[in-house]
Structures are given as C-alpha cells and as structure tokens.
Amino acid sequence: MVPTKERNHTGIFLSYGSEGILLDCGEGIQRQMKVAGIKLTKITKILITHWHGDHILGLPGLLQSLTASEYTRKLYIYGPKETKYYIQKMIDLFAIELSYELIVEEIHKGIFFENDDFMLEVMPLEHGIITVGYNFIEKDKRRINVDFVKKKGIPEGPLLGELQKGKSVIFKGEKITPKEATYVISGKKLTVILDTLLCDSCYKLAQDADLLICESAYSSKLENKASEYKHMTAKQAALVASQANVKQLVLTHFSTRYKNTHEIEEDARDFFNNIICAEDFMKLKL
Ligand SMILES: [Zn+2]
Ligand SMILES: [Zn+2]
C-alpha cells in the first residue's frame, strides 16, 4: 500500500504486437515506465482492478502526460462498477485536459474485449470494495506446414488461406485436410489477480494459465491478518497455482513489513515450485 525505496506502487505493462496494456496504475508509474524504457504513448488500454489508491494514484498524472505527449490513439480504460464516476471526478478535480479520445467501460464478468489475436476476460474478486481480476487469453494460431504444401505443389493463394482457417480443400482432385497441411500453436494465457481474499474466482481465472501474477501480501504466519485486510497469503497463491494447473507463478504486492521476500517465497514453495517474487522493472517473456 505504501511505496518503499525498493518497491513502487503496482503497475504491470503487457506488450503484445501493437497493444500496450497497463494493468493498474499506482503512484509513480509514469516515472517507472520512463526508467523501464517504455514510452507512455505505447499504452492502448488500461485495466483497473479496484479503486484503492495504491492501484490508481498514478492515473491523473498519466492521463495529463498523454495530452502533453501528443497521444493520438483512442485510450480505453476498463474497470469495475463506478470506474466512469471516478474517472470523471478525477478529470474534474485535477482539471485534466484530454487531447485524445478516452473511452471508459465498466466491466464485471466474462469476455469484454476480443480481436483476431486475443481476448480479455474479467471476474469479480473479494476485497471489501468492488474488485476484479483479469485474463489475457491469446488465441490459438494455425500455421501452414510449408514442407507438406511444397511437396504437394500447392501454390500460395486462396487454397492456403482456406487451410489456415481450418477448412479442407480440393487440389488437383485430391482432398487436402488442415490436419495434414497445418499445425496449431497454442495461445498463451496470462492471469492477473491482485488484491483479494482467496475465493473461487481465483481458481477459475487462473485455470491452465501459462503465467499467474498473484498478490501475496503476507506469509501464512499472518493468515489472520491477511483475511482481516482481505488479502492473500503466499501459500494461498501457490495453492491456486498448483490446483489450477498454472505453469509459472509470480508473487507480488508484499506487505512492507517484509524487508526481503525469503519468508514469502518459502511459504509458497512448499506448495508450488515454479515461483518468482516480483521486483520493480522485472521483465518476463511469454
Ligand atoms: Zn486494495
Ligand atoms: Zn493494493
């Protein structure tokens, strides 16, 4: 909740093709992005988990700087119920002038964005105020088996297009199926669960994720405190990862009482092995 010398407020930047998705925007995120070498104008969407200060205090400054940076895209902000109200209040309070189109959408449950490449999904969590968790789900991609089509002599063009769509085609009187002429690359899934109590939605969100970024404010020694403040322990995050068949777990959002992450990591490692404790400016490739 309070930034330290080593750790800034929360902000996760997901870069995918021309998309730049910022998940939460705590105080100082603009500067963190500068240090990380990410231009603010790369942002296309901002996803907000909830309206506690440590997750949104960076928003007014960021919205203002985008005007100064001559941002020309449409900026989409997604967040739970009341997000429209809060954004408008923020714009009024700080007299923010927007030189770009800002679209704010309130979301609650299910897929709320989809294009040819990926989907964004949201589910409600339990944290005392309205809070949500997010999934980035990349779609499977069908690729042409170049060796096979060369051997058959199928020319580039509409036939390959049909095969790539998963449809069979007839070439020189022979039926060619997508099974033999193409292969499928599975899409990646990223789950982000920030402030919440352990609840059913955690497991549902994280099911089969390649990467789960999960809060773990406390270790199990302070499980009572965790539930009192509606946060998760590292052990609970690890249990979600293990039961939901997650490949890799990144723990984050640690209470400032921990001077390092040893206790947090040990607490989780008893239940799940592939763990990293997040650090500022950490980069992961999926
Ligand atoms: Zn919170
Ligand atoms: Zn928080």
Side-chain angles (χ1 to χ4, degrees), residues 179-203:
K179 202 177 170 192
E180 53 189 351
T182 65
Y183 59 96
V184 174
I185 299 173
S186 305
K188 297 282 166 63
K189 176 176 171 180
L190 165 72
T191 302
V192 177
I193 296 173
L194 293 175
D195 303 10
T196 184
L197 279 172
L198 179 63
C199 58
D200 278 353
S201 290
C202 297
Y203 297 95

PDB file of all heavy atoms in Angstrom, residues 179-203:
ATOM      1  N   LYS A 179      -5.513 -30.963 -41.100  1.00  0.00           N
ATOM      2  CA  LYS A 179      -4.744 -31.794 -40.164  1.00  0.00           C
ATOM      3  C   LYS A 179      -3.367 -32.137 -40.727  1.00  0.00           C
ATOM      4  O   LYS A 179      -2.369 -32.150 -40.001  1.00  0.00           O
ATOM      5  CB  LYS A 179      -5.533 -33.085 -39.864  1.00  0.00           C
ATOM      6  CG  LYS A 179      -5.113 -33.736 -38.568  1.00  0.00           C
ATOM      7  CD  LYS A 179      -5.948 -34.948 -38.265  1.00  0.00           C
ATOM      8  CE  LYS A 179      -5.309 -35.694 -37.094  1.00  0.00           C
ATOM      9  NZ  LYS A 179      -5.884 -37.014 -36.909  1.00  0.00           N
ATOM     10  N   GLU A 180      -3.319 -32.403 -42.042  1.00  0.00           N
ATOM     11  CA  GLU A 180      -2.022 -32.774 -42.640  1.00  0.00           C
ATOM     12  C   GLU A 180      -1.248 -31.550 -43.140  1.00  0.00           C
ATOM     13  O   GLU A 180      -0.025 -31.568 -43.183  1.00  0.00           O
ATOM     14  CB  GLU A 180      -2.230 -33.783 -43.780  1.00  0.00           C
ATOM     15  CG  GLU A 180      -3.237 -33.315 -44.822  1.00  0.00           C
ATOM     16  CD  GLU A 180      -3.622 -34.395 -45.839  1.00  0.00           C
ATOM     17  OE1 GLU A 180      -2.978 -35.457 -45.849  1.00  0.00           O
ATOM     18  OE2 GLU A 180      -4.557 -34.145 -46.615  1.00  0.00           O
ATOM     19  N   ALA A 181      -1.985 -30.480 -43.498  1.00  0.00           N
ATOM     20  CA  ALA A 181      -1.310 -29.345 -44.137  1.00  0.00           C
ATOM     21  C   ALA A 181      -0.983 -28.192 -43.177  1.00  0.00           C
ATOM     22  O   ALA A 181      -0.316 -27.237 -43.570  1.00  0.00           O
ATOM     23  CB  ALA A 181      -2.178 -28.817 -45.276  1.00  0.00           C
ATOM     24  N   THR A 182      -1.475 -28.299 -41.944  1.00  0.00           N
ATOM     25  CA  THR A 182      -1.222 -27.199 -40.999  1.00  0.00           C
ATOM     26  C   THR A 182      -0.895 -27.754 -39.605  1.00  0.00           C
ATOM     27  O   THR A 182      -1.056 -28.954 -39.364  1.00  0.00           O
ATOM     28  CB  THR A 182      -2.463 -26.280 -40.842  1.00  0.00           C
ATOM     29  OG1 THR A 182      -3.516 -27.039 -40.249  1.00  0.00           O
ATOM     30  CG2 THR A 182      -2.918 -25.700 -42.150  1.00  0.00           C
ATOM     31  N   TYR A 183      -0.444 -26.893 -38.742  1.00  0.00           N
ATOM     32  CA  TYR A 183      -0.267 -27.268 -37.326  1.00  0.00           C
ATOM     33  C   TYR A 183      -0.722 -26.081 -36.469  1.00  0.00           C
ATOM     34  O   TYR A 183      -0.813 -24.954 -36.953  1.00  0.00           O
ATOM     35  CB  TYR A 183       1.178 -27.664 -37.017  1.00  0.00           C
ATOM     36  CG  TYR A 183       2.202 -26.589 -37.295  1.00  0.00           C
ATOM     37  CD1 TYR A 183       2.653 -25.752 -36.270  1.00  0.00           C
ATOM     38  CD2 TYR A 183       2.714 -26.408 -38.576  1.00  0.00           C
ATOM     39  CE1 TYR A 183       3.581 -24.755 -36.534  1.00  0.00           C
ATOM     40  CE2 TYR A 183       3.639 -25.411 -38.842  1.00  0.00           C
ATOM     41  CZ  TYR A 183       4.068 -24.589 -37.826  1.00  0.00           C
ATOM     42  OH  TYR A 183       4.978 -23.607 -38.081  1.00  0.00           O
ATOM     43  N   VAL A 184      -1.037 -26.381 -35.204  1.00  0.00           N
ATOM     44  CA  VAL A 184      -1.607 -25.345 -34.345  1.00  0.00           C
ATOM     45  C   VAL A 184      -0.626 -24.968 -33.241  1.00  0.00           C
ATOM     46  O   VAL A 184      -0.043 -25.835 -32.587  1.00  0.00           O
ATOM     47  CB  VAL A 184      -2.940 -25.840 -33.722  1.00  0.00           C
ATOM     48  CG1 VAL A 184      -3.466 -24.826 -32.696  1.00  0.00           C
ATOM     49  CG2 VAL A 184      -3.988 -26.062 -34.806  1.00  0.00           C
ATOM     50  N   ILE A 185      -0.427 -23.665 -33.078  1.00  0.00           N
ATOM     51  CA  ILE A 185       0.373 -23.181 -31.958  1.00  0.00           C
ATOM     52  C   ILE A 185      -0.604 -22.687 -30.893  1.00  0.00           C
ATOM     53  O   ILE A 185      -1.431 -21.813 -31.166  1.00  0.00           O
ATOM     54  CB  ILE A 185       1.303 -22.018 -32.381  1.00  0.00           C
ATOM     55  CG1 ILE A 185       2.272 -22.503 -33.452  1.00  0.00           C
ATOM     56  CG2 ILE A 185       2.064 -21.451 -31.190  1.00  0.00           C
ATOM     57  CD1 ILE A 185       3.120 -21.406 -34.052  1.00  0.00           C
ATOM     58  N   SER A 186      -0.523 -23.267 -29.700  1.00  0.00           N
ATOM     59  CA  SER A 186      -1.464 -22.879 -28.639  1.00  0.00           C
ATOM     60  C   SER A 186      -1.189 -21.456 -28.180  1.00  0.00           C
ATOM     61  O   SER A 186      -0.040 -21.062 -28.003  1.00  0.00           O
ATOM     62  CB  SER A 186      -1.316 -23.794 -27.429  1.00  0.00           C
ATOM     63  OG  SER A 186      -1.459 -25.117 -27.826  1.00  0.00           O
ATOM     64  N   GLY A 187      -2.256 -20.714 -27.965  1.00  0.00           N
ATOM     65  CA  GLY A 187      -2.132 -19.350 -27.448  1.00  0.00           C
ATOM     66  C   GLY A 187      -1.727 -19.373 -25.983  1.00  0.00           C
ATOM     67  O   GLY A 187      -1.967 -20.347 -25.273  1.00  0.00           O
ATOM     68  N   LYS A 188      -1.122 -18.289 -25.535  1.00  0.00           N
ATOM     69  CA  LYS A 188      -0.672 -18.183 -24.138  1.00  0.00           C
ATOM     70  C   LYS A 188      -1.762 -17.516 -23.296  1.00  0.00           C
ATOM     71  O   LYS A 188      -2.558 -16.739 -23.796  1.00  0.00           O
ATOM     72  CB  LYS A 188       0.614 -17.356 -24.058  1.00  0.00           C
ATOM     73  CG  LYS A 188       1.793 -17.987 -24.793  1.00  0.00           C
ATOM     74  CD  LYS A 188       2.387 -19.098 -23.954  1.00  0.00           C
ATOM     75  CE  LYS A 188       3.333 -20.009 -24.701  1.00  0.00           C
ATOM     76  NZ  LYS A 188       4.518 -19.442 -25.225  1.00  0.00           N
ATOM     77  N   LYS A 189      -1.733 -17.840 -22.019  1.00  0.00           N
ATOM     78  CA  LYS A 189      -2.709 -17.224 -21.104  1.00  0.00           C
ATOM     79  C   LYS A 189      -1.993 -16.593 -19.922  1.00  0.00           C
ATOM     80  O   LYS A 189      -1.151 -17.228 -19.280  1.00  0.00           O
ATOM     81  CB  LYS A 189      -3.701 -18.284 -20.620  1.00  0.00           C
ATOM     82  CG  LYS A 189      -4.698 -17.746 -19.590  1.00  0.00           C
ATOM     83  CD  LYS A 189      -5.726 -18.790 -19.206  1.00  0.00           C
ATOM     84  CE  LYS A 189      -6.567 -18.314 -18.022  1.00  0.00           C
ATOM     85  NZ  LYS A 189      -7.576 -19.289 -17.622  1.00  0.00           N
ATOM     86  N   LEU A 190      -2.331 -15.344 -19.667  1.00  0.00           N
ATOM     87  CA  LEU A 190      -1.778 -14.627 -18.514  1.00  0.00           C
ATOM     88  C   LEU A 190      -2.926 -14.252 -17.582  1.00  0.00           C
ATOM     89  O   LEU A 190      -3.937 -13.705 -18.023  1.00  0.00           O
ATOM     90  CB  LEU A 190      -1.071 -13.350 -18.980  1.00  0.00           C
ATOM     91  CG  LEU A 190      -0.761 -12.317 -17.893  1.00  0.00           C
ATOM     92  CD1 LEU A 190       0.363 -12.798 -16.986  1.00  0.00           C
ATOM     93  CD2 LEU A 190      -0.395 -10.969 -18.496  1.00  0.00           C
ATOM     94  N   THR A 191      -2.768 -14.565 -16.305  1.00  0.00           N
ATOM     95  CA  THR A 191      -3.787 -14.204 -15.311  1.00  0.00           C
ATOM     96  C   THR A 191      -3.195 -13.206 -14.320  1.00  0.00           C
ATOM     97  O   THR A 191      -2.072 -13.397 -13.852  1.00  0.00           O
ATOM     98  CB  THR A 191      -4.256 -15.463 -14.545  1.00  0.00           C
ATOM     99  OG1 THR A 191      -4.768 -16.402 -15.473  1.00  0.00           O
ATOM    100  CG2 THR A 191      -5.329 -15.126 -13.513  1.00  0.00           C
ATOM    101  N   VAL A 192      -3.953 -12.170 -14.021  1.00  0.00           N
ATOM    102  CA  VAL A 192      -3.505 -11.199 -13.015  1.00  0.00           C
ATOM    103  C   VAL A 192      -4.553 -11.106 -11.904  1.00  0.00           C
ATOM    104  O   VAL A 192      -5.699 -10.720 -12.142  1.00  0.00           O
ATOM    105  CB  VAL A 192      -3.261  -9.806 -13.635  1.00  0.00           C
ATOM    106  CG1 VAL A 192      -2.864  -8.806 -12.553  1.00  0.00           C
ATOM    107  CG2 VAL A 192      -2.175  -9.889 -14.703  1.00  0.00           C
ATOM    108  N   ILE A 193      -4.141 -11.539 -10.714  1.00  0.00           N
ATOM    109  CA  ILE A 193      -5.014 -11.472  -9.536  1.00  0.00           C
ATOM    110  C   ILE A 193      -4.309 -10.582  -8.520  1.00  0.00           C
ATOM    111  O   ILE A 193      -3.292 -10.960  -7.948  1.00  0.00           O
ATOM    112  CB  ILE A 193      -5.238 -12.882  -8.940  1.00  0.00           C
ATOM    113  CG1 ILE A 193      -5.989 -13.775  -9.938  1.00  0.00           C
ATOM    114  CG2 ILE A 193      -6.004 -12.785  -7.615  1.00  0.00           C
ATOM    115  CD1 ILE A 193      -6.110 -15.229  -9.503  1.00  0.00           C
ATOM    116  N   LEU A 194      -4.846  -9.375  -8.351  1.00  0.00           N
ATOM    117  CA  LEU A 194      -4.233  -8.520  -7.326  1.00  0.00           C
ATOM    118  C   LEU A 194      -5.127  -8.583  -6.094  1.00  0.00           C
ATOM    119  O   LEU A 194      -5.621  -9.646  -5.780  1.00  0.00           O
ATOM    120  CB  LEU A 194      -3.938  -7.138  -7.884  1.00  0.00           C
ATOM    121  CG  LEU A 194      -2.823  -7.203  -8.967  1.00  0.00           C
ATOM    122  CD1 LEU A 194      -2.592  -5.881  -9.634  1.00  0.00           C
ATOM    123  CD2 LEU A 194      -1.500  -7.717  -8.371  1.00  0.00           C
ATOM    124  N   ASP A 195      -5.324  -7.492  -5.392  1.00  0.00           N
ATOM    125  CA  ASP A 195      -5.906  -7.586  -4.054  1.00  0.00           C
ATOM    126  C   ASP A 195      -7.206  -8.398  -3.990  1.00  0.00           C
ATOM    127  O   ASP A 195      -8.192  -8.059  -4.644  1.00  0.00           O
ATOM    128  CB  ASP A 195      -6.170  -6.179  -3.525  1.00  0.00           C
ATOM    129  CG  ASP A 195      -4.907  -5.332  -3.515  1.00  0.00           C
ATOM    130  OD1 ASP A 195      -3.897  -5.777  -4.083  1.00  0.00           O
ATOM    131  OD2 ASP A 195      -4.944  -4.233  -2.938  1.00  0.00           O
ATOM    132  N   THR A 196      -7.203  -9.428  -3.174  1.00  0.00           N
ATOM    133  CA  THR A 196      -8.413 -10.236  -2.942  1.00  0.00           C
ATOM    134  C   THR A 196      -8.201 -11.234  -1.804  1.00  0.00           C
ATOM    135  O   THR A 196      -7.065 -11.547  -1.443  1.00  0.00           O
ATOM    136  CB  THR A 196      -8.807 -11.037  -4.205  1.00  0.00           C
ATOM    137  OG1 THR A 196     -10.041 -11.722  -3.959  1.00  0.00           O
ATOM    138  CG2 THR A 196      -7.765 -12.056  -4.585  1.00  0.00           C
ATOM    139  N   LEU A 197      -9.308 -11.693  -1.273  1.00  0.00           N
ATOM    140  CA  LEU A 197      -9.280 -12.886  -0.433  1.00  0.00           C
ATOM    141  C   LEU A 197      -9.196 -14.082  -1.375  1.00  0.00           C
ATOM    142  O   LEU A 197      -9.605 -13.980  -2.532  1.00  0.00           O
ATOM    143  CB  LEU A 197     -10.599 -13.009   0.331  1.00  0.00           C
ATOM    144  CG  LEU A 197     -10.807 -12.188   1.593  1.00  0.00           C
ATOM    145  CD1 LEU A 197     -12.252 -12.333   2.046  1.00  0.00           C
ATOM    146  CD2 LEU A 197      -9.869 -12.671   2.701  1.00  0.00           C
ATOM    147  N   LEU A 198      -8.722 -15.202  -0.862  1.00  0.00           N
ATOM    148  CA  LEU A 198      -8.783 -16.418  -1.670  1.00  0.00           C
ATOM    149  C   LEU A 198     -10.262 -16.740  -1.905  1.00  0.00           C
ATOM    150  O   LEU A 198     -11.043 -16.797  -0.959  1.00  0.00           O
ATOM    151  CB  LEU A 198      -8.113 -17.573  -0.906  1.00  0.00           C
ATOM    152  CG  LEU A 198      -8.118 -18.920  -1.606  1.00  0.00           C
ATOM    153  CD1 LEU A 198      -7.332 -18.866  -2.901  1.00  0.00           C
ATOM    154  CD2 LEU A 198      -7.556 -19.999  -0.697  1.00  0.00           C
ATOM    155  N   CYS A 199     -10.652 -16.899  -3.171  1.00  0.00           N
ATOM    156  CA  CYS A 199     -12.063 -17.207  -3.478  1.00  0.00           C
ATOM    157  C   CYS A 199     -12.107 -18.067  -4.743  1.00  0.00           C
ATOM    158  O   CYS A 199     -11.092 -18.241  -5.416  1.00  0.00           O
ATOM    159  CB  CYS A 199     -12.865 -15.921  -3.666  1.00  0.00           C
ATOM    160  SG  CYS A 199     -12.231 -14.844  -4.962  1.00  0.00           S
ATOM    161  N   ASP A 200     -13.279 -18.602  -5.057  1.00  0.00           N
ATOM    162  CA  ASP A 200     -13.439 -19.500  -6.208  1.00  0.00           C
ATOM    163  C   ASP A 200     -12.959 -18.871  -7.508  1.00  0.00           C
ATOM    164  O   ASP A 200     -12.384 -19.540  -8.363  1.00  0.00           O
ATOM    165  CB  ASP A 200     -14.918 -19.886  -6.374  1.00  0.00           C
ATOM    166  CG  ASP A 200     -15.297 -21.018  -5.429  1.00  0.00           C
ATOM    167  OD1 ASP A 200     -14.376 -21.556  -4.770  1.00  0.00           O
ATOM    168  OD2 ASP A 200     -16.498 -21.344  -5.344  1.00  0.00           O
ATOM    169  N   SER A 201     -13.213 -17.557  -7.651  1.00  0.00           N
ATOM    170  CA  SER A 201     -12.832 -16.878  -8.893  1.00  0.00           C
ATOM    171  C   SER A 201     -11.325 -16.954  -9.136  1.00  0.00           C
ATOM    172  O   SER A 201     -10.885 -16.945 -10.282  1.00  0.00           O
ATOM    173  CB  SER A 201     -13.235 -15.404  -8.859  1.00  0.00           C
ATOM    174  OG  SER A 201     -14.618 -15.280  -8.930  1.00  0.00           O
ATOM    175  N   CYS A 202     -10.527 -17.019  -8.070  1.00  0.00           N
ATOM    176  CA  CYS A 202      -9.066 -17.112  -8.241  1.00  0.00           C
ATOM    177  C   CYS A 202      -8.733 -18.366  -9.042  1.00  0.00           C
ATOM    178  O   CYS A 202      -7.940 -18.323  -9.987  1.00  0.00           O
ATOM    179  CB  CYS A 202      -8.349 -17.169  -6.893  1.00  0.00           C
ATOM    180  SG  CYS A 202      -8.550 -15.702  -5.886  1.00  0.00           S
ATOM    181  N   TYR A 203      -9.341 -19.486  -8.654  1.00  0.00           N
ATOM    182  CA  TYR A 203      -9.069 -20.754  -9.351  1.00  0.00           C
ATOM    183  C   TYR A 203      -9.588 -20.698 -10.782  1.00  0.00           C
ATOM    184  O   TYR A 203      -8.924 -21.144 -11.709  1.00  0.00           O
ATOM    185  CB  TYR A 203      -9.727 -21.924  -8.612  1.00  0.00           C
ATOM    186  CG  TYR A 203      -9.184 -22.137  -7.218  1.00  0.00           C
ATOM    187  CD1 TYR A 203      -9.813 -21.593  -6.103  1.00  0.00           C
ATOM    188  CD2 TYR A 203      -8.020 -22.885  -7.015  1.00  0.00           C
ATOM    189  CE1 TYR A 203      -9.313 -21.782  -4.827  1.00  0.00           C
ATOM    190  CE2 TYR A 203      -7.510 -23.078  -5.738  1.00  0.00           C
ATOM    191  CZ  TYR A 203      -8.154 -22.528  -4.649  1.00  0.00           C
ATOM    192  OH  TYR A 203      -7.650 -22.706  -3.387  1.00  0.00           O
TER     193      TYR A 203
END
